Amino acid sequence: MIKLSSEYKTFGGKLGFYSHFSSSCNSGMRFAVYQPPQAMSQNVPILYWLSGLTCTEENFMIKAGAQKYAAEHGLLLVAPDTSPRNTGILGEDESWDFGTGAGFYVDATEIPWSSHYKMYSYVVEELPKVIAENFPVNLDKQSIFGHSMGGHGALICAMRNPEQYKSVSAFAPIVAPMQCPWGEKALSGYLGDNKETWSNYDATELVKKIGFHSPILIDQGTADSFLQQKQLLPEIFEKACGEVKQPLNLRYQEGYDHSYYFIASFMEDHIHHHAIFLN
């Protein structure tokens, strides 16, 4: 059962913020849904957005400017929170890049995180069921995209579940978490020392093993400080895609940083990318 906390009319549709108890995460979870005007009379495709470190279910809906384009193409937008919150796990709020707001879209196996941090299962399995039970959607038409940590999440979810997602794209994604400080911290903390397990949540490793059935779109700003800090590593992903002939449209956008100003600037392109496959 979901609970509506607030609702707003926008671009002929409606934006709602919801909460519910998640069996995957064994805690309360929050998510936002934008229903386009077409959803008033028919079932519509679903486009999931996964946000980055420190974000909530609100950031994308408030800052990305996506509702206008979702309304044009008749797509229902879903944005979950980035982690469980207030679980009582000691230390979950101590770091901005691990724990609260930093679930990394993995299913944790290490105690105590394994008791709540099951974001992969939440996004891929539980959330689609919740959406289907409460909104007028077509479950045969789902796609996924995201930003930074959420771009990592979108890529791994899509590649591991090609029958579920029609398309995937990302803004400044963490594409090789096994090789960057953010990823090493998160994967070791949530999954332990077994790097074979880590590879199941690494987009570069996954593209070499299984790839994806459709072209992948990635936008990366050249003025992104995290690009310079070697947290994102798009060149490693691009090389891997080239080796296995995975279609990739990696666009470097001159002068853009890691912010939602960057995301909003190219949101129309990404919505259009997904609409081609969903419609």
Side-chain angles (χ1 to χ4, degrees):
M1 184 176 182
I2 65 172
K3 180 181 178 182
L4 175 67
S5 59
S6 57
E7 188 173 76
Y8 308 91
K9 185 175 179 64
T10 177
F11 291 100
K14 55 185 178 181
L15 169 62
F17 294 91
Y18 303 87
S19 61
H20 73 121
F21 180 82
S22 163
S23 57
S24 300
C25 297
N26 191 30
S27 68
M29 286 294 294
R30 305 193 306 255
F31 62 91
V33 172
Y34 172 67
Q35 299 180 64
Q38 294 87 338
M40 304 307 126
S41 60
Q42 66 190 63
N43 290 349
V44 295
I46 315 165
L47 180 55
Y48 298 90
W49 170 268
L50 304 184
S51 290
L53 289 165
T54 75
C55 289
T56 71
E57 74 285 357
E58 293 184 340
N59 298 71
F60 171 75
M61 293 298 186
I62 293 172
K63 298 178 180 180
Q67 293 96 325
K68 175 184 177 181
Y69 308 115
E72 289 174 2
H73 293 286
L75 306 181
L76 183 132
L77 299 174
V78 179
D81 200 356
T82 51
S83 78
R85 295 177 187 267
N86 305 310
T87 66
I89 294 176
L90 187 65
E92 70 177 339
D93 296 327
E94 289 181 359
S95 178
W96 68 274
D97 57 357
F98 185 79
T100 300
F104 262 84
Y105 306 101
V106 306
D107 279 352
T109 56
E110 291 294 291
I111 296 172
W113 308 101
S114 58
S115 60
H116 295 286
Y117 280 68
K118 302 282 188 179
M119 287 299 293
Y120 176 80
S121 290
Y122 179 70
V123 168
V124 172
E125 298 172 8
E126 183 177 4
L127 186 57
K129 293 178 182 176
V130 171
I131 298 302
E133 289 170 0
N134 292 278
F135 301 93
V137 295
N138 183 349
L139 271 183
D140 291 330
K141 294 185 175 183
Q142 301 182 74
S143 290
I144 191 165
F145 66 154
H147 170 230
S148 195
M149 176 186 73
H152 141 80
L155 289 167
I156 63 169
C157 289
M159 281 189 275
R160 289 179 59 173
N161 302 275
E163 73 292 338
Q164 183 167 335
Y165 300 105
K166 301 291 186 185
S167 54
V168 63
S169 73
F171 292 86
I174 303 169
V175 290
M178 294 178 70
Q179 302 181 56
C180 75
W182 278 343
E184 290 175 351
K185 178 177 181 179
L187 296 178
S188 62
Y190 292 131
L191 304 174
D193 297 330
N194 186 351
K195 294 196 174 183
E196 195 62 39
T197 305
W198 293 18
S199 68
N200 293 324
Y201 297 102
D202 186 298
T204 297
E205 295 302 311
L206 288 173
V207 82
K208 289 188 286 188
K209 291 178 184 177
I210 53 181
F212 192 61
H213 53 62
S214 304
I216 297 170
L217 171 63
I218 292 177
D219 274 314
Q220 174 62 62
T222 62
D224 188 329
S225 61
F226 299 121
L227 181 66
Q228 322 306 329
Q229 294 170 23
K230 301 296 182 183
Q231 296 281 18
L232 307 176
L233 305 173
E235 68 281 0
I236 291 178
F237 186 68
E238 183 178 31
K239 182 174 183 289
C241 287
E243 290 172 355
V244 297
K245 296 182 169 52
Q246 167 65 48
L248 170 69
N249 185 8
L250 172 59
R251 311 190 305 185
Y252 284 96
Q253 303 294 357
E254 190 66 33
Y256 284 90
D257 60 14
H258 201 71
S259 72
Y260 267 88
Y261 298 113
F262 160 57
I263 293 169
S265 298
F266 301 99
M267 181 54 60
E268 182 177 11
D269 291 355
H270 282 249
I271 298 282
H272 179 71
H273 169 81
H274 293 292
I276 290 171
F277 295 94
L278 292 171
N279 291 325

